[in-house]
Structure formats: structure tokens, C-alpha cells
Amino acid sequence: MKLAILSRAPRSYSTQRLRTAALDRGHDVKVLNTLRFSIDLSGDEPDLQFRGKPLSDYDAILPRIGNSITYFGTAVVRQFEQMDVYTPNPAYGITNSRDKLRATQILSRHSIGMPATAFVRDRADVIPAIEMVGGAPVVIKLLEGTQGIGVILAPDIKVAEAIIETLQSTKQQVLIQRFVKESKGRDIRALVVGDRVVAAMRRVAKGDEFRSNVHRGGSVERVELDEEFESTAVRAAQIMGLKVAGVDMLEGRDGPLVMEVNSSPGLEGIETATKLDVAGAIIDYIDNQVAFPQIDVRQRLSVSTGYGVAELLVHGDADIVGKTIGESGLGERDITVLTLNRGSRVIPNPRNSHTLQADDRLLCFGKLEEMRGMIPTRRKRRHRVKKLPKQPIHGED
Ligand code: ADP
Ligand code: MG
């Protein structure tokens, strides 16, 4: 295949390893500076120029978009997508994962463990938010920090409030997050490629530092992940829309807590710690998937007027409970079931002989009018009952 690695750091360890891995496998590979593309929307079809000249044909790209050029970088990736060039990490996946708040919001409905997190704007909401995530000590994070810069541990509420106010006064947005003390300055970085973890390491913070980033002096060691950490990492990457991702997880009391998903994970630390060929795994995956460029299914399918994609809920009292998909009458109503979601299980292309159960969720393509009655009513929010601290009664012990 002909592959372009989009990177501004041609000499960095990661870019060099990816380039060499591609060459070793007989691919034609170029490292192209992301900032030297011109997005060309002047002709009949979306096009790109590179260094002022028409770009030759590529089968695939591997975007390595740094934090400082997210907007332009994702625009270039999106343009390749419009040109049907394969990318393991689409523009929306890179955008989703870059902003820690946006990533946490997207992951939050998929039963993936995460440290309790809050985001507020008004001064009056700061202290309640700190309490909402469990009180001090509390972690404060810039939305788009990396390498541990912009992650602060505030020992008490007063200091936390002062830090948040200072940052907000300089127009910096911050997350308020529970300090996962039991993780003890350690975290797990899992390198996800496609639907598996190809390498994982534990990072241990230096001295009394709580941030385990290698850039903050953290040390690394290879780990074998158990099934729960592995499936959490893979699911987090998939939900973000990334096929190549570095998923950071804390070791919480009750299992993995995802902190962030990185779309351009560094390879040096993890290859050194694990002695595994991560670059080779990435190139092999791209080579294997190159025939499947990104398709925005919803957008493409909606072009047929009156048809679309919807998620249908099998209500407990519906007459199709206990019937097979074949018997359900969905087919006669011109509704095709694409996937069946049962709890956290997903059955792709379920057969007609599959029996439907209450609470199954069916991702369907069909006539919107026919599907209207089966769209779930909005879930009722369960209001968490919070234990209020006992008010001291004056005059009593
Ligand atoms: P960055 O993008 O800067 O790497 P992270 O959210 O990954 O930001 O945080 C950096 C490091 O700080 C993590 O690797 C972890 O060691 C530590 N850390 C972050 N959030 C928490 C938390 N809520 N509780 C405990 N440690 C944390
Ligand atoms: Mg991190």
C-alpha cells in the first residue's frame, strides 16, 4: 500500500519506527508535514495539495496530530476521509479524545469506569462541584493538557478554589476530578490497535509526585493486563472512534478508571518497556483495513428520503418479546436490524432465528415512520440520593 504518515516530527522515535516498519513490509511510505497541506475545495471533488503541488494517490494515512495543531490537523484528516483514503483515526475521533471533558462526556454513557468528574463555570458552583466528586484532596485538570502539564493536586478546598479561580480568570477551562488515591501514583497505559491491546505498561510516578507521565520522570514496566482492563481499554478506544490509541487507566478500588484516550500515543516508552513491535502491529492493522475507508453511515443512509438509522427499544410489554426477529414483523415493515444490543453484549447482523428479549436495543435501518413508535421514550434520570453530612446540633456533643 501507499501510506502517508502525517507528522511534524519526522525524526522522532515514533515516526521513525512507523516508517521503518512500513518499509520493512514492502510498503511505499512518506512522512508528510501536516502543516504543508492545502485543503482544496475549488474543484468538482474534494482535493488536497502538498507543498503547493497536487498530491499523489495514497491508500491510507496515519495521522499523528499534535495538540498544538488540532484544528488544522483534523481538517486535513477530514479531507482525506472525503477523498475515501483510509485512516485508522478519523477526524472526529481525534477531536473527541483531545478534549478531556468531551471524551469523558462521550464515555460516560457506556458503563466505563472513570474518576468522578465535574465541570462548572460559575464561582458559586465550584465548592459544590468539589464536594460532588468526593471533596479534597482533589485533582484539577486543564481540558487540553498533555504530558502531565496542567494536572494539579489540590490538598484542600480553599487551595482548590483559589487554583480554579486563578485559571478561570485567565480564560482556562478546568475539570474537577476525584483524586484516585488508591492508585498511588501509578497508572496503566494500554496501546490499542483495532480491537485488541497490543502492548501495555504500568507507569510509576517519581518520588512523591502523583503524576506518572514519563515526561514527569515516571518509570515504566511491562504488565499483563487482566480481562477487565483489556476490554475497558478496547471499548474506550472504540467508543471514541479510534483504532490506534493509548488508553490511560488508573487502578481503582473496583477496577479500571479511564482517564484519557490519546490519539497519537508515543511509542518509545511502551516499546522499550515491553520489547514489543507496536509500530509493526499498527502498520499491519492499517494494511489489513485499507479497503474500508470511513463511512458516516447515518449521513450516507439518510440520503434515501424517509429512511434512516434509529435505535429501537424492545419494550417489556411489547408483543414482540419472546418472538424471533423473523417472526417480529420488522422485516415486513421494511426495517432491517443491523445490531442487537443486550446489556453490554453486541450481536452484529443478528439472524432471523434470534429471539428478542425485553430491553434489547436494536440498531435498525428502515422507514423512519415505521420506526417512530419503537423509539425509546427518554430514560428517566435516576436521582442519586446523597447522604447529607449530619448537621451538628448546637449544644450537643
Ligand atoms: P495528561 O494528558 O497530561 O497525561 P492525565 O489526565 O493523563 O493528563 O493525567 C496525568 C497523570 O496524572 C496520570 O497519568 C496519573 O498518573 C495522574 N492522574 C490524573 N488524574 C488523576 C486522578 N483523578 N487521580 C489520581 N491520579 C491522577
Ligand atoms: Mg495522560
Side-chain angles (χ1 to χ4, degrees):
M1 66 174 161
K2 187 162 172 187
L3 171 71
I5 300 173
L6 308 189
S7 169
R8 291 173 69 205
R11 271 177 253 294
S12 74
Y13 175 94
S14 302
T15 313
Q16 284 294 335
R17 282 282 301 131
L18 290 161
R19 184 172 167 275
T20 310
L23 288 174
D24 286 349
R25 285 160 174 76
H27 299 302
D28 182 354
V29 56
K30 293 267 173 341
V31 178
L32 304 180
N33 179 346
T34 320
L35 293 183
R36 294 305 312 273
F37 283 96
S38 307
I39 292 170
D40 179 1
L41 300 166
S42 65
D44 291 342
E45 287 181 3
D47 211 346
L48 276 166
Q49 307 216 344
F50 185 68
R51 291 184 182 276
K53 297 204 183 67
L55 184 73
S56 56
D57 280 334
Y58 281 89
D59 302 306
I61 56 166
L62 176 55
R64 308 270 313 167
I65 308 294
N67 247 29
S68 55
I69 61 155
T70 304
Y71 192 83
F72 191 77
T74 52
V76 171
V77 173
R78 200 177 307 112
Q79 191 74 354
F80 274 108
E81 289 168 34
Q82 302 308 315
M83 294 159 67
D84 290 335
V85 177
Y86 174 78
T87 175
N89 289 352
Y92 80 89
I94 299 169
T95 313
N96 283 348
S97 59
R98 183 98 339 141
D99 172 326
K100 291 186 203 315
L101 173 67
R102 191 192 291 228
T104 312
Q105 287 179 300
I106 293 172
L107 292 176
S108 65
R109 64 173 296 164
H110 293 273
S111 43
I112 284 191
M114 288 185 295
T117 302
F119 183 63
V120 297
R121 177 70 188 261
D122 198 289
R123 237 176 121 159
D125 298 321
V126 169
I127 289 181
I130 296 172
E131 272 153 11
M132 186 160 71
V133 303
V138 68
V139 173
I140 298 164
K141 282 188 195 183
L142 293 182
L143 291 196
E144 296 204 8
T146 71
Q147 308 183 342
I149 302 162
V151 178
I152 307 161
L153 180 60
D156 61 64
I157 291 211
K158 276 279 149 241
V159 176
E161 201 185 10
I163 294 171
I164 293 167
E165 271 180 23
T166 307
L167 290 170
Q168 288 190 336
S169 72
T170 57
K171 300 271 182 290
Q172 313 233 47
Q173 309 266 30
V174 294
L175 286 186
I176 299 168
Q177 194 167 74
R178 176 170 91 85
F179 174 48
V180 183
K181 208 191 286 126
E182 65 267 27
S183 194
K184 301 190 192 77
R186 305 182 311 176
D187 76 352
I188 302 282
R189 161 60 66 92
L191 216 302
V192 176
V193 177
D195 51 13
R196 64 192 189 96
V197 171
V198 297
M201 62 178 174
R202 175 178 285 123
R203 302 182 294 193
V204 183
K206 190 172 150 192
D208 57 6
E209 172 63 64
F210 80 104
R211 297 166 299 178
S212 49
N213 301 66
V214 177
H215 289 93
R216 303 271 74 74
S219 57
V220 295
E221 62 190 36
R222 178 178 180 159
V223 279
E224 290 300 324
L225 293 190
D226 68 20
E227 161 55 30
E228 199 188 5
F229 276 79
E230 184 150 350
S231 64
T232 300
V234 171
R235 284 186 57 226
Q238 282 174 341
I239 294 163
M240 298 312 295
L242 300 170
K243 301 294 185 191
V244 174
V247 181
D248 291 348
M249 296 172 282
L250 291 167
E251 296 168 89
R253 230 175 286 119
D254 302 316
L257 298 171
V258 174
M259 282 178 297
E260 63 165 349
V261 182
N262 298 278
S263 61
S264 306
L267 302 186
E268 186 165 11
I270 200 148
E271 285 197 338
T272 311
T274 63
K275 309 269 180 294
L276 291 168
D277 180 9
V278 177
I282 295 173
I283 298 299
D284 286 340
Y285 178 79
I286 296 174
D287 188 29
N288 187 264
Q289 296 292 310
V290 74
F292 300 105
Q294 273 298 314
I295 293 180
D296 183 338
V297 178
R298 242 187 131 112
Q299 188 199 340
R300 295 274 180 101
L301 294 180
S302 310
V303 177
S304 337
T305 313
Y307 281 77
V309 183
E311 187 171 62
L312 309 183
L313 175 67
V314 179
H315 291 282
D317 54 1
D319 55 1
I320 59 172
V321 174
K323 287 190 179 157
T324 65
I325 293 179
E327 295 160 352
S328 68
L330 290 172
E332 285 74 19
R333 291 162 69 185
D334 213 7
I335 299 172
T336 308
V337 183
L338 305 173
T339 62
L340 189 161
N341 296 270
R342 185 170 290 165
S344 59
R345 250 180 77 208
V346 182
I347 303 159
N349 269 342
R351 294 180 190 286
N352 268 340
S353 55
H354 235 101
T355 306
L356 295 172
Q357 295 180 5
D359 296 332
D360 281 352
R361 283 174 175 270
L362 310 174
L363 185 70
C364 294
F365 175 67
K367 263 213 179 83
L368 294 171
E369 262 326 299
E370 292 288 348
M371 297 194 287
R372 186 184 295 280
M374 287 181 76
I375 305 278
T377 43
R378 268 168 51 77
R379 264 189 308 166
K380 281 252 163 28
R381 292 167 60 221
R382 277 165 304 175
H383 281 282
R384 282 175 297 172
V385 182
K386 287 215 171 147
K387 280 203 199 101
L388 292 171
K390 277 211 183 85
Q391 294 291 336
I393 302 176
H394 293 290
E396 284 187 11
D397 284 326

